[in-house]
Amino acid sequence: MIKVIKVKKYGIIHAYAQCDNCDWTAAIDTRETNRMQKLRNKIYAHVKKTGHRVTLETGNSTTYSS
């Protein structure tokens, strides 16, 4: 008998942006809608204003079960 594996993807569960040149940081707010776009907008604004480089880290979650 072949066992079926169930896969449930939760998508991005955290995202954290950090400026490589100063102490500026930003993260997603899990209570908001369009949270990744809002975070990207904050990153764009910081880069345009300062010319700094920003690194964005994201993590996603997937559950596997039988």
Side-chain angles (χ1 to χ4, degrees):
M1 182 169 105
I2 298 174
K3 235 181 194 234
V4 175
I5 303 297
K6 297 174 193 169
V7 178
K8 182 166 182 176
K9 295 184 179 188
Y10 295 94
I12 295 175
I13 59 169
H14 81 264
Y16 179 75
Q18 182 174 7
C19 181
D20 296 340
N21 303 101
C22 69
D23 63 350
W24 179 89
T25 61
I28 59 171
D29 183 344
T30 57
R31 299 165 292 181
E32 291 183 334
T33 56
N34 300 321
R35 58 191 187 200
M36 283 304 297
Q37 186 58 52
K38 289 178 181 178
L39 178 57
R40 283 190 294 271
N41 290 345
K42 291 176 185 177
I43 294 169
Y44 298 156
H46 182 73
V47 171
K48 284 181 183 179
K49 179 181 176 184
T50 63
H52 293 172
R53 185 174 78 174
V54 174
T55 300
L56 173 63
E57 173 191 296
T58 61
N60 58 39
S61 177
T62 305
T63 300
Y64 299 87
S65 61
S66 56

